Amino acid sequence: MALPTQTDDFPGWYQEVVRQADLAENSLARGTMVIKPYGFAIWEAIQGAMDAEIKRTGHQNLYFPMMIPARLLEREKEHVEGFAPEVAVVTHAGGEELGEPLVLRPTSETIIWDTYSRWVQSYRDLPLLYNQWANIVRWELRPRLFLRTTEFLWQEGHTAHETAAEAWDETVRMLEAYREVVEGTMAVPVHKGRKTAAERFPGAVETLTIEALMRDRKALQSGTSHYLGQNFAKAYGVKFLGRDGEEHFAEATSWGTSTRLVGGLIMAHGDDKGLRLPPKVAPFQVVIVPIFRSDDEKARVLEAAARMAEEWRAAGLRVKVDDRDDLRPGFKFADHELRGVPVRVEVGPRDLDAEQVTLARRDTGEKTAVPLGGVLDVLTGLMPEIQQALFDDAVAFREANTHRAGGYDDLRDAIAGEGGFVVGAWCGGADCEAKVKADTKATIRFLPIEREDPGAPCVVCGGAGTETATWAIAY
Ligand SMILES: [Zn+2]
């Protein structure tokens, strides 16, 4: 029952939290998972915030099929090579071998851009600002629940534009939308940046990313936004008659976030007792644990608990009364701590006599007695306070685990030692990038979106620095 500590065994801690908090479990096909109701409720909260932000920024949802003729995938060379090892192919159906195999979408650029070739004729048809919520299949050899699964849920935006400048603005806009949701709703601080050529999405001209730091000091890529240039328009023949009367290829972006965010939420906030959920994504923000010995006490306490729950729900809080009578209060306390419920309210006969309840905060462990008349106000005030406290905590952790490297020894020692983000100048050379990866397993997580002079020599080769790179070992 006890969790491994984060320090002793972080992967074991993660696995046990996912299992004991009832978030998800492995299923039968390799790398697939069952997302259980508590885990799915967390995903729905993130998904709802993300969907609202995607619509607020001017996009509409639509839906494309999950099976794509294999020949379509083959048209964009870099794209097909990038995804080939992960693609699952349907070869038989209807009792016979298919004349043409179908792939299960590893991402939908190919089918969408093939379709856009029929939707786009003139500049008047642009921009197309579409998003879909879908499941994706990428064959996974080392699966981990939420972080890497063969099938996962995500959203993928696919936009088409008249000009490169417009498409680039869109790429940057959606990265900011991701930052807004991940920081504002999940309380996970992220760095926005640009990927190196080696880390780019297959077929993209530039890939932008948001990167978060987990409590084992590894980085998690939490969302990506790609500027695709005309690569897909050329491969799939998306041409339009421009304002100048000439034919042009459309400019493209795509951007995605997935159920991986749930894994990030667990690892960015969790502690040795389990999850710590920000109120905005907590399936229950408040749990009431009734405390009683006799049947008389039980009736009195449960009635009071039901009344409070009703009042607080009417005020917009998500409240659960834990009235399971086969479990002791101490067990329930630990159970809700494991599940990360932001506030626990303990109510027993002595509390009712004194016209008060006891509140316990999950984030700080702090316990306070609050008069019955004032509980709702306190709870309502606590929700934004806990949301902010978890964010501040994660920012402080990230800052404490960000190091500057002046030379190669610094870089190597920082990564091999405490880990975290290590910032240093880089010459832009793929050799230097590969050397760090070979020596330390760390990769360049991001560069500033706009290139800037680091004002220092490359920490790897000592040559002229052209970029400020941030390295980390990543999921
Ligand atoms: Zn170098």
Short mmCIF file of all heavy atoms in Angstrom, two decimals, residues 41-61 130-134 153-157 170 173-188 190 209-210 221-225 255-262 265 280-281:
data_model
loop_
_atom_site.label_atom_id
_atom_site.label_comp_id
_atom_site.label_asym_id
_atom_site.label_seq_id
_atom_site.Cartn_x
_atom_site.Cartn_y
_atom_site.Cartn_z
N ALA A 41 -11.63 11.93 -15.70
CA ALA A 41 -12.19 13.22 -15.25
C ALA A 41 -11.10 14.30 -15.26
O ALA A 41 -11.36 15.45 -15.61
CB ALA A 41 -12.79 13.08 -13.86
N ILE A 42 -9.88 13.92 -14.89
CA ILE A 42 -8.76 14.88 -14.94
C ILE A 42 -8.49 15.27 -16.39
O ILE A 42 -8.34 16.44 -16.72
CB ILE A 42 -7.51 14.27 -14.27
CG1 ILE A 42 -7.75 14.07 -12.77
CG2 ILE A 42 -6.28 15.15 -14.51
CD1 ILE A 42 -6.65 13.28 -12.06
N TRP A 43 -8.43 14.26 -17.27
CA TRP A 43 -8.24 14.54 -18.70
C TRP A 43 -9.34 15.44 -19.24
O TRP A 43 -9.08 16.39 -19.97
CB TRP A 43 -8.16 13.22 -19.48
CG TRP A 43 -8.26 13.40 -20.97
CD1 TRP A 43 -9.23 12.92 -21.79
CD2 TRP A 43 -7.36 14.14 -21.82
NE1 TRP A 43 -8.99 13.30 -23.09
CE2 TRP A 43 -7.85 14.05 -23.13
CE3 TRP A 43 -6.20 14.88 -21.58
CZ2 TRP A 43 -7.23 14.66 -24.22
CZ3 TRP A 43 -5.57 15.48 -22.67
CH2 TRP A 43 -6.08 15.37 -23.96
N GLU A 44 -10.59 15.17 -18.86
CA GLU A 44 -11.69 15.99 -19.36
C GLU A 44 -11.56 17.45 -18.93
O GLU A 44 -11.93 18.37 -19.68
CB GLU A 44 -13.04 15.45 -18.88
CG GLU A 44 -13.51 14.25 -19.66
CD GLU A 44 -14.87 13.76 -19.19
OE1 GLU A 44 -15.04 13.57 -17.97
OE2 GLU A 44 -15.75 13.57 -20.04
N ALA A 45 -11.05 17.69 -17.72
CA ALA A 45 -10.87 19.07 -17.26
C ALA A 45 -9.81 19.77 -18.11
O ALA A 45 -9.98 20.94 -18.50
CB ALA A 45 -10.48 19.08 -15.79
N ILE A 46 -8.72 19.06 -18.41
CA ILE A 46 -7.67 19.65 -19.24
C ILE A 46 -8.20 19.84 -20.66
O ILE A 46 -8.04 20.90 -21.28
CB ILE A 46 -6.43 18.71 -19.27
CG1 ILE A 46 -5.82 18.59 -17.86
CG2 ILE A 46 -5.40 19.21 -20.27
CD1 ILE A 46 -4.76 17.48 -17.75
N GLN A 47 -8.87 18.81 -21.16
CA GLN A 47 -9.41 18.81 -22.52
C GLN A 47 -10.41 19.96 -22.69
O GLN A 47 -10.39 20.67 -23.70
CB GLN A 47 -10.08 17.45 -22.77
CG GLN A 47 -10.42 17.13 -24.19
CD GLN A 47 -11.85 17.53 -24.52
OE1 GLN A 47 -12.63 17.85 -23.63
NE2 GLN A 47 -12.16 17.54 -25.80
N GLY A 48 -11.25 20.16 -21.68
CA GLY A 48 -12.26 21.22 -21.75
C GLY A 48 -11.61 22.60 -21.83
O GLY A 48 -12.03 23.46 -22.62
N ALA A 49 -10.57 22.81 -21.01
CA ALA A 49 -9.88 24.11 -21.03
C ALA A 49 -9.17 24.31 -22.36
O ALA A 49 -9.17 25.40 -22.94
CB ALA A 49 -8.88 24.18 -19.87
N MET A 50 -8.57 23.23 -22.87
CA MET A 50 -7.84 23.32 -24.13
C MET A 50 -8.80 23.60 -25.28
O MET A 50 -8.54 24.44 -26.15
CB MET A 50 -7.07 22.01 -24.37
CG MET A 50 -6.06 22.07 -25.48
SD MET A 50 -4.74 23.25 -25.13
CE MET A 50 -3.68 22.27 -24.05
N ASP A 51 -9.93 22.90 -25.27
CA ASP A 51 -10.92 23.08 -26.34
C ASP A 51 -11.44 24.52 -26.35
O ASP A 51 -11.59 25.13 -27.41
CB ASP A 51 -12.07 22.09 -26.15
CG ASP A 51 -12.97 22.01 -27.38
OD1 ASP A 51 -12.45 21.67 -28.46
OD2 ASP A 51 -14.16 22.34 -27.26
N ALA A 52 -11.69 25.07 -25.15
CA ALA A 52 -12.19 26.44 -25.06
C ALA A 52 -11.14 27.42 -25.62
O ALA A 52 -11.48 28.37 -26.33
CB ALA A 52 -12.52 26.79 -23.61
N GLU A 53 -9.87 27.17 -25.32
CA GLU A 53 -8.80 28.06 -25.79
C GLU A 53 -8.62 27.95 -27.31
O GLU A 53 -8.38 28.96 -27.99
CB GLU A 53 -7.49 27.70 -25.05
CG GLU A 53 -6.32 28.63 -25.31
CD GLU A 53 -6.53 30.06 -24.83
OE1 GLU A 53 -7.45 30.31 -24.01
OE2 GLU A 53 -5.79 30.95 -25.30
N ILE A 54 -8.76 26.74 -27.84
CA ILE A 54 -8.65 26.54 -29.29
C ILE A 54 -9.78 27.29 -30.01
O ILE A 54 -9.56 27.93 -31.04
CB ILE A 54 -8.67 25.02 -29.61
CG1 ILE A 54 -7.33 24.40 -29.19
CG2 ILE A 54 -8.95 24.77 -31.09
CD1 ILE A 54 -7.33 22.87 -29.18
N LYS A 55 -10.96 27.25 -29.44
CA LYS A 55 -12.10 27.96 -30.05
C LYS A 55 -11.95 29.47 -29.87
O LYS A 55 -12.25 30.24 -30.78
CB LYS A 55 -13.41 27.45 -29.47
CG LYS A 55 -13.73 26.05 -30.00
CD LYS A 55 -14.90 25.42 -29.29
CE LYS A 55 -15.16 24.03 -29.90
NZ LYS A 55 -15.92 23.17 -28.97
N ARG A 56 -11.48 29.88 -28.68
CA ARG A 56 -11.30 31.31 -28.43
C ARG A 56 -10.33 31.93 -29.42
O ARG A 56 -10.46 33.10 -29.79
CB ARG A 56 -10.77 31.51 -26.99
CG ARG A 56 -10.87 32.94 -26.48
CD ARG A 56 -10.15 33.13 -25.14
NE ARG A 56 -8.72 32.97 -25.24
CZ ARG A 56 -7.88 33.87 -25.76
NH1 ARG A 56 -8.34 35.01 -26.21
NH2 ARG A 56 -6.59 33.62 -25.83
N THR A 57 -9.35 31.15 -29.87
CA THR A 57 -8.38 31.67 -30.82
C THR A 57 -8.83 31.48 -32.27
O THR A 57 -8.02 31.58 -33.20
CB THR A 57 -7.00 31.00 -30.60
OG1 THR A 57 -7.18 29.58 -30.46
CG2 THR A 57 -6.33 31.51 -29.33
N GLY A 58 -10.12 31.19 -32.47
CA GLY A 58 -10.69 31.26 -33.82
C GLY A 58 -10.77 29.97 -34.60
O GLY A 58 -10.97 30.00 -35.82
N HIS A 59 -10.61 28.83 -33.93
CA HIS A 59 -10.61 27.56 -34.66
C HIS A 59 -11.93 26.82 -34.49
O HIS A 59 -12.64 27.01 -33.52
CB HIS A 59 -9.46 26.68 -34.16
CG HIS A 59 -8.13 27.37 -34.27
ND1 HIS A 59 -7.66 28.21 -33.28
CD2 HIS A 59 -7.21 27.37 -35.24
CE1 HIS A 59 -6.49 28.70 -33.66
NE2 HIS A 59 -6.18 28.21 -34.83
N GLN A 60 -12.22 25.94 -35.48
CA GLN A 60 -13.40 25.08 -35.39
C GLN A 60 -12.95 23.63 -35.34
O GLN A 60 -11.93 23.26 -35.94
CB GLN A 60 -14.26 25.25 -36.64
CG GLN A 60 -14.98 26.58 -36.72
CD GLN A 60 -15.73 26.68 -38.04
OE1 GLN A 60 -15.12 26.76 -39.11
NE2 GLN A 60 -17.05 26.65 -37.96
N ASN A 61 -13.75 22.81 -34.67
CA ASN A 61 -13.46 21.37 -34.62
C ASN A 61 -14.10 20.66 -35.80
O ASN A 61 -15.18 21.03 -36.26
CB ASN A 61 -13.99 20.76 -33.33
CG ASN A 61 -13.14 21.13 -32.12
OD1 ASN A 61 -11.97 21.51 -32.26
ND2 ASN A 61 -13.72 21.04 -30.94
N TYR A 130 -8.65 24.63 -38.48
CA TYR A 130 -9.38 23.47 -37.99
C TYR A 130 -8.58 22.65 -36.97
O TYR A 130 -7.35 22.61 -37.02
CB TYR A 130 -9.78 22.56 -39.16
CG TYR A 130 -10.70 23.24 -40.16
CD1 TYR A 130 -10.54 23.02 -41.52
CD2 TYR A 130 -11.71 24.10 -39.72
CE1 TYR A 130 -11.39 23.64 -42.45
CE2 TYR A 130 -12.56 24.72 -40.64
CZ TYR A 130 -12.38 24.50 -41.99
OH TYR A 130 -13.21 25.11 -42.89
N ASN A 131 -9.34 22.00 -36.11
CA ASN A 131 -8.76 21.16 -35.06
C ASN A 131 -9.59 19.90 -34.95
O ASN A 131 -10.80 19.93 -35.17
CB ASN A 131 -8.80 21.90 -33.72
CG ASN A 131 -8.36 21.02 -32.57
OD1 ASN A 131 -7.21 20.63 -32.47
ND2 ASN A 131 -9.31 20.66 -31.69
N GLN A 132 -8.94 18.78 -34.62
CA GLN A 132 -9.75 17.60 -34.28
C GLN A 132 -9.27 16.96 -32.99
O GLN A 132 -8.08 16.99 -32.66
CB GLN A 132 -9.77 16.58 -35.42
CG GLN A 132 -8.54 15.71 -35.55
CD GLN A 132 -8.78 14.54 -36.53
OE1 GLN A 132 -9.91 14.28 -36.93
NE2 GLN A 132 -7.72 13.85 -36.88
N TRP A 133 -10.24 16.41 -32.24
CA TRP A 133 -9.98 15.57 -31.07
C TRP A 133 -10.06 14.14 -31.55
O TRP A 133 -11.07 13.76 -32.17
CB TRP A 133 -11.00 15.85 -29.97
CG TRP A 133 -10.80 17.19 -29.34
CD1 TRP A 133 -11.45 18.35 -29.66
CD2 TRP A 133 -9.87 17.52 -28.30
NE1 TRP A 133 -10.97 19.38 -28.88
CE2 TRP A 133 -10.01 18.91 -28.04
CE3 TRP A 133 -8.92 16.80 -27.58
CZ2 TRP A 133 -9.24 19.57 -27.07
CZ3 TRP A 133 -8.17 17.46 -26.62
CH2 TRP A 133 -8.33 18.82 -26.37
N ALA A 134 -9.02 13.35 -31.30
CA ALA A 134 -8.98 12.02 -31.90
C ALA A 134 -8.09 11.09 -31.09
O ALA A 134 -7.39 11.52 -30.17
CB ALA A 134 -8.45 12.12 -33.33
N LEU A 153 -5.02 9.72 -26.67
CA LEU A 153 -5.99 10.74 -27.09
C LEU A 153 -5.27 12.06 -27.24
O LEU A 153 -4.37 12.36 -26.46
CB LEU A 153 -7.11 10.87 -26.05
CG LEU A 153 -7.85 9.58 -25.70
CD1 LEU A 153 -8.92 9.85 -24.65
CD2 LEU A 153 -8.47 8.98 -26.96
N TRP A 154 -5.69 12.84 -28.23
CA TRP A 154 -5.07 14.15 -28.40
C TRP A 154 -5.96 15.06 -29.19
O TRP A 154 -7.04 14.69 -29.64
CB TRP A 154 -3.69 14.03 -29.02
CG TRP A 154 -3.61 13.87 -30.51
CD1 TRP A 154 -4.63 13.53 -31.38
CD2 TRP A 154 -2.44 14.09 -31.32
NE1 TRP A 154 -4.13 13.49 -32.66
CE2 TRP A 154 -2.81 13.84 -32.66
CE3 TRP A 154 -1.13 14.46 -31.06
CZ2 TRP A 154 -1.90 13.94 -33.72
CZ3 TRP A 154 -0.24 14.57 -32.11
CH2 TRP A 154 -0.62 14.31 -33.41
N GLN A 155 -5.48 16.29 -29.34
CA GLN A 155 -6.06 17.20 -30.33
C GLN A 155 -4.95 17.52 -31.31
O GLN A 155 -3.78 17.60 -30.94
CB GLN A 155 -6.65 18.45 -29.70
CG GLN A 155 -5.75 19.35 -28.87
CD GLN A 155 -4.72 20.16 -29.62
OE1 GLN A 155 -3.63 20.38 -29.11
NE2 GLN A 155 -5.04 20.59 -30.84
N GLU A 156 -5.33 17.66 -32.58
CA GLU A 156 -4.37 18.08 -33.59
C GLU A 156 -5.00 19.19 -34.41
O GLU A 156 -6.05 19.03 -35.00
CB GLU A 156 -3.91 16.91 -34.46
CG GLU A 156 -5.01 16.02 -35.00
CD GLU A 156 -4.49 14.87 -35.87
OE1 GLU A 156 -3.54 15.07 -36.63
OE2 GLU A 156 -5.08 13.77 -35.79
N GLY A 157 -4.34 20.35 -34.41
CA GLY A 157 -4.80 21.48 -35.22
C GLY A 157 -4.07 21.43 -36.54
O GLY A 157 -2.88 21.10 -36.59
N GLU A 170 0.53 32.04 -36.62
CA GLU A 170 -0.37 31.00 -36.10
C GLU A 170 0.42 30.00 -35.24
O GLU A 170 -0.03 29.58 -34.17
CB GLU A 170 -1.05 30.27 -37.26
CG GLU A 170 -1.78 28.97 -36.91
CD GLU A 170 -3.12 29.18 -36.23
OE1 GLU A 170 -3.56 30.34 -36.07
OE2 GLU A 170 -3.74 28.16 -35.86
N ARG A 173 1.10 31.67 -32.04
CA ARG A 173 -0.15 31.90 -31.30
C ARG A 173 -0.60 30.62 -30.58
O ARG A 173 -0.98 30.65 -29.42
CB ARG A 173 -1.26 32.35 -32.27
CG ARG A 173 -2.61 32.59 -31.59
CD ARG A 173 -3.70 33.02 -32.61
NE ARG A 173 -3.23 34.08 -33.45
CZ ARG A 173 -3.07 34.00 -34.79
NH1 ARG A 173 -3.41 32.90 -35.43
NH2 ARG A 173 -2.60 35.01 -35.48
N MET A 174 -0.49 29.46 -31.26
CA MET A 174 -0.97 28.23 -30.64
C MET A 174 -0.02 27.73 -29.56
O MET A 174 -0.44 27.11 -28.59
CB MET A 174 -1.26 27.16 -31.70
CG MET A 174 -2.40 27.55 -32.62
SD MET A 174 -3.78 28.43 -31.81
CE MET A 174 -4.51 27.09 -30.85
N LEU A 175 1.26 28.04 -29.70
CA LEU A 175 2.18 27.71 -28.61
C LEU A 175 1.79 28.50 -27.36
O LEU A 175 1.78 27.97 -26.25
CB LEU A 175 3.63 28.03 -29.01
CG LEU A 175 4.65 27.45 -28.04
CD1 LEU A 175 4.75 25.94 -28.22
CD2 LEU A 175 6.01 28.11 -28.21
N GLU A 176 1.45 29.76 -27.57
CA GLU A 176 1.02 30.60 -26.44
C GLU A 176 -0.31 30.07 -25.86
O GLU A 176 -0.50 30.08 -24.63
CB GLU A 176 0.89 32.06 -26.90
CG GLU A 176 0.24 33.01 -25.90
CD GLU A 176 0.92 33.09 -24.54
OE1 GLU A 176 2.09 32.67 -24.43
OE2 GLU A 176 0.27 33.54 -23.57
N ALA A 177 -1.19 29.59 -26.72
CA ALA A 177 -2.45 29.00 -26.23
C ALA A 177 -2.15 27.80 -25.33
O ALA A 177 -2.76 27.62 -24.27
CB ALA A 177 -3.33 28.58 -27.41
N TYR A 178 -1.17 26.99 -25.73
CA TYR A 178 -0.78 25.84 -24.92
C TYR A 178 -0.19 26.29 -23.59
O TYR A 178 -0.51 25.74 -22.53
CB TYR A 178 0.26 24.98 -25.67
CG TYR A 178 -0.30 24.18 -26.82
CD1 TYR A 178 0.53 23.58 -27.74
CD2 TYR A 178 -1.68 24.01 -26.96
CE1 TYR A 178 0.03 22.83 -28.79
CE2 TYR A 178 -2.18 23.26 -28.02
CZ TYR A 178 -1.33 22.67 -28.93
OH TYR A 178 -1.83 21.92 -29.96
N ARG A 179 0.67 27.29 -23.63
CA ARG A 179 1.25 27.80 -22.38
C ARG A 179 0.13 28.26 -21.44
O ARG A 179 0.13 27.95 -20.25
CB ARG A 179 2.20 28.97 -22.65
CG ARG A 179 2.94 29.44 -21.40
CD ARG A 179 3.38 30.90 -21.48
NE ARG A 179 2.26 31.82 -21.63
CZ ARG A 179 1.42 32.18 -20.66
NH1 ARG A 179 1.58 31.73 -19.44
NH2 ARG A 179 0.42 32.99 -20.91
N GLU A 180 -0.82 28.97 -22.01
CA GLU A 180 -1.92 29.51 -21.22
C GLU A 180 -2.68 28.39 -20.50
O GLU A 180 -2.97 28.49 -19.31
CB GLU A 180 -2.87 30.30 -22.15
CG GLU A 180 -4.14 30.81 -21.51
CD GLU A 180 -3.89 31.78 -20.37
OE1 GLU A 180 -2.89 32.53 -20.45
OE2 GLU A 180 -4.67 31.76 -19.38
N VAL A 181 -2.99 27.31 -21.18
CA VAL A 181 -3.76 26.23 -20.57
C VAL A 181 -2.91 25.44 -19.57
O VAL A 181 -3.36 25.12 -18.47
CB VAL A 181 -4.35 25.29 -21.65
CG1 VAL A 181 -5.00 24.07 -21.02
CG2 VAL A 181 -5.35 26.05 -22.51
N VAL A 182 -1.68 25.12 -19.96
CA VAL A 182 -0.85 24.27 -19.09
C VAL A 182 -0.48 25.05 -17.81
O VAL A 182 -0.54 24.50 -16.71
CB VAL A 182 0.40 23.75 -19.84
CG1 VAL A 182 1.33 23.00 -18.92
CG2 VAL A 182 -0.04 22.85 -20.99
N GLU A 183 -0.17 26.33 -17.94
CA GLU A 183 0.13 27.11 -16.74
C GLU A 183 -1.14 27.52 -16.01
O GLU A 183 -1.23 27.41 -14.79
CB GLU A 183 0.95 28.36 -17.11
CG GLU A 183 2.34 28.02 -17.61
CD GLU A 183 3.28 29.22 -17.63
OE1 GLU A 183 2.81 30.38 -17.63
OE2 GLU A 183 4.51 28.98 -17.66
N GLY A 184 -2.14 28.00 -16.74
CA GLY A 184 -3.34 28.57 -16.12
C GLY A 184 -4.29 27.53 -15.54
O GLY A 184 -4.93 27.77 -14.52
N THR A 185 -4.39 26.38 -16.17
CA THR A 185 -5.34 25.35 -15.72
C THR A 185 -4.64 24.24 -14.94
O THR A 185 -5.12 23.80 -13.90
CB THR A 185 -6.09 24.76 -16.93
OG1 THR A 185 -6.80 25.82 -17.58
CG2 THR A 185 -7.09 23.71 -16.49
N MET A 186 -3.47 23.82 -15.44
CA MET A 186 -2.77 22.71 -14.79
C MET A 186 -1.76 23.19 -13.75
O MET A 186 -1.20 22.37 -13.01
CB MET A 186 -2.04 21.87 -15.84
CG MET A 186 -2.97 21.17 -16.83
SD MET A 186 -2.05 20.42 -18.21
CE MET A 186 -0.86 19.42 -17.32
N ALA A 187 -1.51 24.51 -13.71
CA ALA A 187 -0.55 25.09 -12.77
C ALA A 187 0.86 24.53 -12.95
O ALA A 187 1.65 24.45 -12.02
CB ALA A 187 -1.01 24.92 -11.31
N VAL A 188 1.18 24.13 -14.19
CA VAL A 188 2.52 23.62 -14.50
C VAL A 188 3.26 24.69 -15.31
O VAL A 188 2.85 25.00 -16.43
CB VAL A 188 2.44 22.31 -15.31
CG1 VAL A 188 3.84 21.85 -15.73
CG2 VAL A 188 1.75 21.21 -14.49
N VAL A 190 5.88 26.36 -17.79
CA VAL A 190 6.58 25.83 -18.96
C VAL A 190 7.48 26.91 -19.56
O VAL A 190 7.23 28.10 -19.42
CB VAL A 190 5.61 25.34 -20.06
CG1 VAL A 190 4.85 24.12 -19.60
CG2 VAL A 190 4.65 26.43 -20.52
N THR A 209 7.97 24.40 -28.97
CA THR A 209 7.63 23.46 -27.90
C THR A 209 7.39 24.18 -26.59
O THR A 209 7.91 25.28 -26.39
CB THR A 209 8.78 22.44 -27.73
OG1 THR A 209 8.48 21.52 -26.69
CG2 THR A 209 10.10 23.15 -27.36
N ILE A 210 6.59 23.57 -25.72
CA ILE A 210 6.58 23.98 -24.32
C ILE A 210 7.19 22.82 -23.52
O ILE A 210 6.85 21.66 -23.74
CB ILE A 210 5.16 24.33 -23.79
CG1 ILE A 210 4.13 23.25 -24.12
CG2 ILE A 210 4.70 25.69 -24.31
CD1 ILE A 210 2.79 23.46 -23.42
N GLN A 221 8.35 17.27 -22.70
CA GLN A 221 7.79 18.04 -23.81
C GLN A 221 6.28 17.93 -23.69
O GLN A 221 5.72 16.84 -23.72
CB GLN A 221 8.30 17.44 -25.12
CG GLN A 221 7.71 18.08 -26.36
CD GLN A 221 8.30 17.46 -27.61
OE1 GLN A 221 9.52 17.45 -27.82
NE2 GLN A 221 7.44 16.91 -28.44
N SER A 222 5.61 19.07 -23.53
CA SER A 222 4.20 19.04 -23.13
C SER A 222 3.24 19.48 -24.21
O SER A 222 2.03 19.40 -24.03
CB SER A 222 4.02 19.91 -21.89
OG SER A 222 4.91 19.49 -20.87
N GLY A 223 3.77 19.97 -25.32
CA GLY A 223 2.93 20.37 -26.44
C GLY A 223 3.85 20.92 -27.52
O GLY A 223 4.89 21.49 -27.20
N THR A 224 3.50 20.70 -28.79
CA THR A 224 4.34 21.22 -29.86
C THR A 224 3.47 21.89 -30.92
O THR A 224 2.33 21.49 -31.16
CB THR A 224 5.18 20.11 -30.54
OG1 THR A 224 4.34 18.99 -30.81
CG2 THR A 224 6.34 19.69 -29.68
N SER A 225 4.04 22.93 -31.53
CA SER A 225 3.37 23.68 -32.58
C SER A 225 4.37 23.78 -33.74
O SER A 225 5.49 24.24 -33.54
CB SER A 225 2.98 25.05 -32.05
OG SER A 225 2.26 25.78 -33.02
N TRP A 255 -0.39 21.46 -34.77
CA TRP A 255 -0.05 21.60 -33.36
C TRP A 255 -0.85 20.59 -32.55
O TRP A 255 -1.99 20.26 -32.89
CB TRP A 255 -0.31 23.03 -32.85
CG TRP A 255 -1.33 23.81 -33.62
CD1 TRP A 255 -1.12 24.55 -34.77
CD2 TRP A 255 -2.74 23.94 -33.35
NE1 TRP A 255 -2.29 25.11 -35.21
CE2 TRP A 255 -3.30 24.76 -34.35
CE3 TRP A 255 -3.59 23.43 -32.35
CZ2 TRP A 255 -4.67 25.09 -34.39
CZ3 TRP A 255 -4.95 23.76 -32.38
CH2 TRP A 255 -5.46 24.58 -33.40
N GLY A 256 -0.23 20.03 -31.50
CA GLY A 256 -0.89 18.97 -30.76
C GLY A 256 -0.53 18.91 -29.29
O GLY A 256 0.59 19.23 -28.89
N THR A 257 -1.52 18.51 -28.51
CA THR A 257 -1.30 18.14 -27.10
C THR A 257 -2.10 16.88 -26.83
O THR A 257 -3.11 16.63 -27.49
CB THR A 257 -1.79 19.23 -26.11
OG1 THR A 257 -3.15 19.55 -26.41
CG2 THR A 257 -0.93 20.48 -26.18
N SER A 258 -1.68 16.10 -25.84
CA SER A 258 -2.28 14.78 -25.69
C SER A 258 -2.48 14.39 -24.22
O SER A 258 -2.18 15.16 -23.31
CB SER A 258 -1.36 13.73 -26.34
OG SER A 258 -0.19 13.59 -25.55
N THR A 259 -2.96 13.15 -24.03
CA THR A 259 -3.15 12.61 -22.68
C THR A 259 -1.82 12.52 -21.92
O THR A 259 -1.81 12.29 -20.72
CB THR A 259 -3.79 11.20 -22.74
OG1 THR A 259 -3.34 10.52 -23.91
CG2 THR A 259 -5.29 11.27 -22.76
N ARG A 260 -0.70 12.73 -22.61
CA ARG A 260 0.60 12.84 -21.95
C ARG A 260 0.57 13.95 -20.88
O ARG A 260 1.30 13.88 -19.88
CB ARG A 260 1.62 13.18 -23.04
CG ARG A 260 2.98 13.44 -22.55
CD ARG A 260 3.92 13.53 -23.71
NE ARG A 260 4.91 12.53 -23.55
CZ ARG A 260 6.22 12.73 -23.74
NH1 ARG A 260 6.66 13.88 -24.17
NH2 ARG A 260 7.07 11.77 -23.52
N LEU A 261 -0.27 14.96 -21.11
CA LEU A 261 -0.37 16.06 -20.13
C LEU A 261 -0.78 15.54 -18.76
O LEU A 261 -0.40 16.11 -17.74
CB LEU A 261 -1.37 17.12 -20.61
CG LEU A 261 -0.90 18.03 -21.76
CD1 LEU A 261 -2.05 18.93 -22.21
CD2 LEU A 261 0.29 18.88 -21.32
N VAL A 262 -1.58 14.47 -18.72
CA VAL A 262 -1.98 13.91 -17.42
C VAL A 262 -0.74 13.38 -16.69
O VAL A 262 -0.58 13.60 -15.48
CB VAL A 262 -3.05 12.80 -17.58
CG1 VAL A 262 -3.42 12.21 -16.23
CG2 VAL A 262 -4.29 13.35 -18.28
N LEU A 265 1.12 16.32 -15.32
CA LEU A 265 0.45 16.87 -14.13
C LEU A 265 0.84 16.07 -12.88
O LEU A 265 1.16 16.64 -11.83
CB LEU A 265 -1.07 16.80 -14.34
CG LEU A 265 -1.94 17.39 -13.24
CD1 LEU A 265 -2.03 18.90 -13.42
CD2 LEU A 265 -3.34 16.78 -13.29
N LYS A 280 -8.46 23.50 -10.39
CA LYS A 280 -9.14 23.60 -11.69
C LYS A 280 -9.26 22.26 -12.41
O LYS A 280 -10.12 22.10 -13.27
CB LYS A 280 -8.40 24.58 -12.61
CG LYS A 280 -8.64 26.04 -12.22
CD LYS A 280 -8.08 26.98 -13.27
CE LYS A 280 -8.26 28.43 -12.82
NZ LYS A 280 -7.58 29.36 -13.76
N VAL A 281 -8.41 21.29 -12.09
CA VAL A 281 -8.53 19.99 -12.76
C VAL A 281 -8.94 18.86 -11.82
O VAL A 281 -9.07 17.71 -12.25
CB VAL A 281 -7.22 19.58 -13.48
CG1 VAL A 281 -6.85 20.60 -14.55
CG2 VAL A 281 -6.08 19.38 -12.50
#
